[in-house]
Every structure is written in structure tokens, then in C-alpha cells.
Amino acid sequence: MKGRRLTLDQLPQHQSARILGFLPGDERLVNMLREIGFAESDEVELMHKGPFGAGPFCFRLNRTLIALRQKEAAHILVETGDE
Amino acid sequence: MSSLRLALVGAPNCGKSTLFNGLTGGRAKVANYPGVTVETRAGRFTTPSGNDVHLIDLPGIYGLNARSKDERIALSVMRGELDGDAPPDGLIVLIDAANLRTHLHTVLQMRSLGLPMIVALNMIDLAERDGLKIDVARLERELGLPVVPTCAPRKAGREGLLSRLDSEVSKWHGRPREATPERDLKRLQRTARALAGEVILTEPLMNRATRAIDSAVLHPVAGPFILAAILFFVFQAVFTWAAPFMDLIETGIAALGAGVGTALPAGWVYDLIVDGIIAGVGSVIVFLPQIVFLFVFILLLEASGYMARAAVMMDELMLRVGLNGRAFIPLLSSFACAIPGIMSARTIANERDRLTTIMVAPLMTCSARLPVYTLIIAAFIPPDRVGLFNLQGLVMFGLYIVGIISAVTVAFVLKRTLVKGQTQPLMLELPTYKLPNLQDFVLDLWVRVAAFLRRAGTIILATSIALWFLTSYPSGAGSLRESYAGQIGWVLQKLLAPIGFNLEIAIALVPGMAAREVAVGALGTVYAVQGGEENVVGLAATLQSAWSLPTALAFLAWYVFAPQCLATLATARRETNSWGWTGFMAGYLIALAYVAAGITYHGARLIGL
């Protein structure tokens, strides 16, 4: 089965995915995400959900750990691996 | 040989300050650029072939978008936009080898500035220990830039960089290349990722220890409790561990006063040195152990990598009051002293969030309030047991909590009125856990301790002398009331009487406006207690008979808010670059202090205390 497409905030914990791109609309935000390292075809994985599930999520981006709020993570489009 | 100006640049957490400290031996000067509110560290070192290098340490940046104040500082230095300075002769661009894939595009961005540069592939030892293999020769070829693997904390780990610097510098003469800033981040990243794919030979998973620790520390339920436990331990330890050292210093100061006293003939010189200087400065130096311990913990938490996790954990809470997780670190530092707290707010990308953080930082209970709290609590609050707790301890804890709640409330109100704006995104890289580097730790601690001692040696010294003068003259003044201080206090007291303050308090507040802790020594002088503040028991007993309980409580309430620290206001002025905001800070704090003291005084009288 081909992988599913979803936004990064929807990614189940400990399932890795590839970044497809960024949702259009907020160019400034996308630039910030790119500068800290998010890029097309990078591997991401949800490592830790925020405190009491409400705070920022911690994602593994390649070998780097980055905290993002769900709101910003929702701008990143990903595809899970083949299942 | 020649003298070179180099700038050290790289992403946050790439080991930049460690390399800077290693190269310069930590002998750094804080460089101020006149006209702009910029402060960078700079130091010197000499390469093996005798090149004299002037190294500028820039704040960590990911790219050239200049989001935060720190990033703008770094950019303007690299572009030579600060007045009087040309761009640096070259850059040392640092990149964490373990995160090469994620961060390589930062190097490409720096390359587009057109300055001569050397790339240091830092923390190569840690990356290799994880099993990462990088083809350095190929990276160098493809980048068209010299690339040197480095391990910043070790001398041997820096030698490659130094010798490479020597061989490269000779080729740097002539005009720098044209700057061709790459605006298209997407294209830049594609190039960087393709390059990373070629030069990274094996790339294992993330650091295992870090993953294991984080599964507890960032656990949705356990994580917040771990943070609370760490903070509780830190504050407990600061108070408990510092106590014996404080006793020691108190004894030392008393002995010094006595020793100097016997050597001097009685007269105004004796009064000035023993009662004015030794007692006044001594009352502040006593708090050095608490400040040292608090900074020890803050620095260790920061250097180990935990502080970034704490910021993540606090983000949701901070967001609700209109701040963001990054404000946690400045606000925590403010418990030691608001000055480093206000300065570290620079890492906050959003200007409005930074301003709000600065505005509320003075509400965190800094160590200078402790002498005052300790004195008043010892005098007026009985050491009764309340359940498991001691009533005195509870009152002290309550004062901390009132400060925090006020900060939260003020931030909440500010974000909805004066500094309205959209919430800003939080993007925070969580570094791999590591043991703090000893040299970095000692240097960082020293910078903070030195700042405190400098304050004691300048502002506090000056106010001690001034206070001594104001209370001792005009000569022949029979009592304090006739002295200059008494005359000023007389005027002030008219304003302060409605909130229960007497003439003595008004007089003590005159020097206390410069620095909070001075008020303790001032009360000692005002009540002419022998032995000044070394004799806290004597002063406490005097206050007991001179003040009513409502007055004492009102005094405590006043101290939670009052902006009695010129150094903090000066720092706020410099960091906000605005007299308006500085005035606002002072004004709202005085207003809150007055109202809070008034409510406390009248409330306490109403319930018959």
C-alpha cells in the first residue's frame, strides 16, 4: 500500500515520514521552517507529544530534534512510508 | 605579521562559545558599538605562524533572515553595517557535524556573503562516536571552501583549524568576492541536501542516550513533574547550601570592621569607613553565595541541554499569558538578578514578546530582595509550624508566588493592550545532551559573578558613602531627623504615610531606590543599631518595637513590586532603546508597589493585625 499523505501535526507518534512540501499561504513561516532545517524529502518522526499532550511536539528531523507547536507543524505536508 | 579580524558564526548549539573560549583562552571583551544597542564578545589569539587574530563571537544564527535581535546583530557585523567597522576579513563558519544534513544550507547561505571563510566541522568526535561518517575531502571540494574537522574543547581538536587558517590567510589578500545572497531558500536547500547525500557515508539514528533521557524528560506527564522537581531542588539547594558561606562572609565582614576600627582613630574617617563603606558594601556581598549557586544551576541546566527542554515544557503555559516558551530562561535567570535576565531576552525572535518579557522580568524575586525579606520575616513572622511547614518559610514562598502571579498578570494585560500582536511561532532545536565543558562553565559563571561584584564595588559603594553623608550631615545635626536624609525623608513620608510607612522607612528608601538590598543597611543606620546589618538580630528586635505588623507587611508588599534598582532600569533602557518603555516600567512598578502596600496595610488593620 502506498504511503498516506497528511500534515505533520497529524503524524502518529513514532512513525517516520518524508516531507513533501509546505502548505502555501504563510511565506514568512515557511522561510522560518526552512531556515531551521525542514526541507523537501527530509525524514521526520514525531518523538514526543507536549506536556499533557497540549504543548509543542518534538520532531526528529533527520538526526536533529526540533520542537514545534502543532499549529506550525500543520503547515508541513508529509507522506508516510509504504506500509 | 598581519592582524586579522575574523567573525565566528554558526547555528545555535554548534559549540561556538566553546571554540571561542578555547581559541582566545576566554579572555574576551564585551564590545559595544556606540549608537546601536549591540554587544558582541571579542577576543584575540595568535596562530602558530604568528598571525594576530581579532575574533568576534557572533550570536547563533540559522540563516540570513534576521528574525531576532541576535540575528540582526550577527548580520550587521558580517556585512560591516555597524558604524566605523568594515566587514570582517573572513569568517569561521561552524557547523555541528552530527547535524550536517539538517544544517548544511546555513553554510551555503554564509558562503553567499562573499567573504573569505573556513568551515569548521565541529563536535566531530561526538558525531563519529554515534557512528556518523563524513567524506571531508569531498565536502571541501564540492563546497569550494576549506573544511576542517574540529573538536572545540580540546587543544588538539583546534590545531587543524589553526594551521589551516595560517595556510588559507595568505590567499585572502585582494578584494573579497561579490556578495551573491541566495534568496531562494528552496533551491539552496536542494543543493545542500544533494551535497549532504554525497558526503555523508553512513548516518546512524539519533544519539541513543539523548533519546533515552528525552523519553522521560519530555514525557507528556512525567516531564512537567521532573521540571517541577528540578526547580524545587534548585531553590532548596540555593538557600540551604549558601547559608554556611553567608555566615562565613558575615563573620569575615564583622571581623574586618572590628579590625579596621581598632586601627583608626575615632572621627569622621572611622565613621565613613566602618559604618559607611564596610557595613554598606558588606550587606550586599553577603548575598554572593546565593547568586553563585543559582547561576551554577542555571548554567549547568543550560549547558547540559536541559534548558531548551524546559522552555518547550513551559511553552503552553507561557503562551496562555501571551509570552512564549523562550521567555522561560530569561525569567528564570531573573530570580538571581533581572539584569542578565533582561539581556538574555535577546534570543526571543519576536520584538513584542521580547519587550513583554523585559517589562515583567523585574517582578521575579531577585536575590537583592532576599536581605529585606529575611529581615522583616525574622522580625515579624513567628517561626510557628503550619502543618508540615514553617510559617516563615511559607511567607517567603508566598512572596515569590505573588511576584510570579503579578508577572503573569502584567504580561497578560500588556499583550492585550500595549503590545498587541499575533502569537509568534516557536521553533526550538533541542541539542544532544552533553556534559558541560568546564572552561565554558567557569568563564560564564565568572562573567556573572564579576558583574555582581562590580555592582557592589560601584553603585553600592557609592550609595553607602552617599547615605553615610546624608545621615551624618549637616554636621552638628543632633539626630537623624535633622540630617539631609531626614529632610528628604520628611518630604517623602508625606507621600508614603497613607500606606503605613513611617519617617524611618522613608529615609531608608532614599538610598534604597538605587539598589534594593541597601535598605537593610540603611534601616540599620537610621535606627542607629550598633553593628549595622551584621547584627540582623539586633535590627530585627528594634524594628519589632518600632513598626506595627501592618506596616511591616506593607513594606514586604512594597518590595515585591518597587523598581528599586538603577542598574536594572539602565539595562532596560539599553535593551529596549527607549526611554518611554523604561519610564513605563518604572512607573507601573511604582504604582503597583504603592497600591499593593496600601491594600496590605489597610487590609491588615481592618482584620485587626
Side-chain angles (χ1 to χ4, degrees), chain B residues 255-397:
Chain B
L256 181 68
V260 174
T262 50
L264 286 173
W268 72 270
V269 180
Y270 173 96
D271 292 344
L272 169 65
I273 293 181
V274 177
D275 298 340
I277 295 177
I278 296 181
V281 176
S283 68
V284 176
I285 297 291
V286 163
F287 292 90
L288 185 62
Q290 283 183 343
I291 291 187
V292 170
F293 277 114
L294 190 49
F295 275 124
V296 163
F297 285 114
I298 288 177
L299 290 173
L300 289 180
L301 289 176
E302 228 166 56
S304 65
Y306 182 76
M307 207 59 120
R309 271 89 179 165
V312 170
M313 221 100 59
M314 294 301 290
D315 182 63
E316 181 67 22
L317 225 68
M318 299 289 231
L319 199 60
R320 298 236 169 125
V321 304
L323 288 168
N324 86 45
R326 277 182 190 268
F328 177 68
I329 299 168
L331 293 181
L332 186 63
S333 306
S334 299
F335 280 107
C337 174
I339 294 165
I342 287 174
M343 293 187 42
S344 59
R346 284 178 183 179
T347 54
I348 299 171
N350 179 255
E351 200 51 31
R352 284 183 292 259
D353 286 359
R354 193 177 72 91
L355 200 57
T356 314
T357 309
I358 291 175
M359 287 298 130
V360 303
L363 286 170
M364 300 292 128
T365 303
C366 70
S367 47
R369 287 176 175 93
L370 286 174
V372 181
Y373 288 178
T374 311
L375 172 70
I376 306 298
I377 287 175
F380 290 93
I381 310 293
D384 296 344
R385 291 224 149 267
V386 180
L388 279 177
F389 304 99
N390 174 305
L391 186 60
Q392 293 186 330
L394 279 180
V395 171
M396 180 72 92
F397 184 70

Side-chain angles (χ1 to χ4, degrees), chain B residues 213-233:
Chain B
I213 298 173
D214 276 342
S215 62
V217 159
L218 289 174
H219 187 275
V221 181
F225 284 102
I226 293 175
L227 174 61
I230 288 177
L231 292 181
F232 183 77
F233 170 79

Side-chain angles (χ1 to χ4, degrees), chain A residues 34 37 42 52 64-65 67 69, chain B residues 189 193 220 315 424 428 430:
Chain A
R34 284 189 186 279
D42 276 2
F52 307 113
T64 314
L65 194 62
R69 294 194 192 121
Chain B
Q189 281 183 316
R193 292 302 194 267
D315 182 63
Q424 292 299 309
L428 199 55
L430 306 180

Side-chain angles (χ1 to χ4, degrees), chain B residues 120 144 191 289 333 335 338 390 440 529 577 581 588:
Chain B
T191 318
S333 306
F335 280 107
N390 174 305
D440 292 349
V529 176
N577 205 9
W581 279 110
Y588 98 80

